[in-house]
């Protein structure tokens, strides 16, 4: 669980995980240099439940960096990212793990999603969660790239050995979707037909509801080269996955690269704006 200034929602999110029917778990929570009471709350939980293992970042490493940090600190055979704002039904972990145990070819299992703003009782069904069950890895890869809207599937349960083969969530907007596409090349992604995941959607917690300045502060709180050329970095991320994922045939690799290049062509306006902005900043300096 990555957390940043989450004192208002943190207890609810932790309680639903500690109350799972699958109780053999470790909850690693990374406090991303919060300035509110997040760290005090985590210390309190750690004193009361040995399964809670809090870590604290000395400086804010950005949202994507903090998501990667909790995976690197974890030890389980299966792994789940859990937002400090969301809520999971008690059966979520057990249902996902049961499906993974039943099918070695599946690398990620997620339940259907309900969205809420003020409280779980007011949640509404989200209709566009995806599964990728095609036998062809490139078709799964393309399906993620063309159909994944809200990235709810990343909140499912994934095989640790598959996730360890990826670059996790790199430092550019859209890197989470690239990660899911990489997992789709490595194996199938399954969707449980049960709404066990409840996602909070408000302007304080949901990236797609933030204005661009807030998104930038959330992901890149300290000026860094990692914030430059986001569209270029996104295009490079897709291409890197298509070229370097192991186990693909030459034909499949060529098909994946072809789709990525076509995607970059249709995104050329964004890539061009990145270059213009870089040149403008260069003239200023």
């Amino acid at each position: 669980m990555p957390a940043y200034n989450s004192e208002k929602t943190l207890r609810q999110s932790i309680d639903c995980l500690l109350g799972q029917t699958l109780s053999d778990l470790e909850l690693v929570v990374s406090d991303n240099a919060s300035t509110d009471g997040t760290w005090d709350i985590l210390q309190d939980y750690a004193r009361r439940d040995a399964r809670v293992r809090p870590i604290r970042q000395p400086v804010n490493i950005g949202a994507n960096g903090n998501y990667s940090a909790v995976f690197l600190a974890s030890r389980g055979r299966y792994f789940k990212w859990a937002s400090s704002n969301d809520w999971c039904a008690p059966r979520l972990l057990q249902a996902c793990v049961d499906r993974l145990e039943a099918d070695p070819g599946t690398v990620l299992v997620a339940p259907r999603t309900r969205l809420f703003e003020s409280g779980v009782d007011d949640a509404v069904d989200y209709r566009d969660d995806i599964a990728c069950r095609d036998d062809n890895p490139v078709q799964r890869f393309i399906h993620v790239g063309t159909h994944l809207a809200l990235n709810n599937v990343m909140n499912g349960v994934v095989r640790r050995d598959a996730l360890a083969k990826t670059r996790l969530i790199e430092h550019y907007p859209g890197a989470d979707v690239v990660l899911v596409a990489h997992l789709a090349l490595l194996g199938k992604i399954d969707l449980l037909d049960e709404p066990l995941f409840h996602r909070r959607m408000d302007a304080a917690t949901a990236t797609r509801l933030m204005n661009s300045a807030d998104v930038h502060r959330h992901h890149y709180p300290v000026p860094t080269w990692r914030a430059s050329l986001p569209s270029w970095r996104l295009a490079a991320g897709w291409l890197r996955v298509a070229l370097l994922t192991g186990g693909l045939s030459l034909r499949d690799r060529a098909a994946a690269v072809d789709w990525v290049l076509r995607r970059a062509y249709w995104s050329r306006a964004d890539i061009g704006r990145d270059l213009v902005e870089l040149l403008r900043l260069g003239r200023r300096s």
Side-chain angles (χ1 to χ4, degrees):
M1 178 183 288
Y4 175 68
N5 285 353
S6 305
E7 64 179 5
K8 294 181 180 179
T9 59
L10 184 59
R11 292 185 185 277
Q12 182 186 43
S13 297
I14 290 178
D15 287 342
C16 72
L17 295 172
L18 297 181
Q20 291 286 305
T21 56
L22 193 162
S23 59
D24 182 13
L25 59 88
E26 158 189 76
L27 177 57
V28 179
V29 190
S30 175
D31 177 11
N32 200 12
S34 294
T35 56
D36 65 358
T38 294
W39 182 243
D40 292 335
I41 293 171
L42 294 178
Q43 289 180 304
D44 178 57
Y45 271 96
R47 284 191 292 268
R48 294 187 284 114
D49 194 319
R51 295 176 296 172
V52 179
R53 185 157 64 90
I55 57 179
R56 182 168 171 80
Q57 303 299 332
V59 296
N60 191 317
I61 58 175
N64 290 8
N66 206 31
Y67 265 78
S68 295
V70 289
F71 173 72
L72 295 173
S74 68
R75 299 171 290 195
R77 177 183 176 190
Y78 298 112
F79 177 82
K80 169 181 166 48
W81 271 302
S83 167
S84 59
N85 307 302
D86 300 333
W87 184 84
C88 301
R91 292 187 52 256
L92 187 152
L93 290 181
Q94 188 67 66
C96 290
V97 168
D98 285 348
R99 184 68 61 88
L100 286 167
E101 290 282 309
D103 184 1
T106 296
V107 296
L108 171 63
V109 176
R112 290 196 176 273
T113 305
R114 306 198 79 209
L115 307 178
F116 70 98
E117 183 174 352
S118 56
V120 173
D121 293 339
D122 300 323
V124 296
D125 291 340
Y126 179 72
R127 302 292 185 182
D128 296 324
D129 286 321
I130 69 167
C132 303
R133 298 293 304 166
D134 199 290
D135 288 333
N136 184 287
V138 178
Q139 291 304 312
R140 299 194 300 263
F141 176 75
I142 294 173
H143 188 76
V144 171
T146 55
H147 289 84
L148 185 59
L150 281 182
N151 194 355
N152 301 318
V153 70
M154 200 181 79
N155 294 279
V157 178
V158 62
R159 296 185 190 276
R160 180 185 186 82
D161 57 354
L163 192 52
K165 294 176 182 177
T166 73
R167 296 170 67 95
L168 302 178
I169 308 178
E170 297 186 286
H171 292 269
Y172 53 85
D176 59 324
V177 179
V178 175
L179 168 64
V180 175
H182 193 168
L183 289 170
L185 284 176
L186 297 173
K188 296 179 180 179
I189 296 174
D190 212 349
L191 179 67
L192 302 177
D193 194 26
E194 199 173 353
L196 302 177
F197 174 59
H198 291 61
R199 178 171 178 171
R200 188 182 300 273
M201 291 294 290
D202 59 37
T205 60
T207 300
R208 68 166 42 208
L209 298 181
M210 297 177 185
N211 61 50
S212 58
D214 287 340
V215 170
H216 196 275
R217 284 193 294 271
H218 184 59
H219 285 272
Y220 308 106
V222 178
T224 170
W225 62 269
R226 286 173 169 168
S228 64
L229 298 174
S231 296
W232 286 66
R233 294 173 64 77
L234 176 60
W238 281 105
L239 185 59
R240 187 184 301 113
V241 168
L243 282 172
L244 301 181
T245 298
L248 297 179
S249 67
L250 289 177
R251 182 176 181 177
D252 284 344
R253 195 178 307 281
V257 169
D258 178 70
W259 181 83
V260 168
L261 293 178
R262 290 173 184 271
R263 184 185 187 280
Y265 174 79
W266 290 112
S267 301
R268 64 191 184 280
D270 294 333
I271 293 172
R273 278 193 294 268
D274 270 4
L275 184 58
V276 169
E277 179 66 14
L278 184 65
L279 292 173
R280 183 177 64 83
L281 292 175
R283 285 196 298 268
R284 281 185 179 180
S285 61

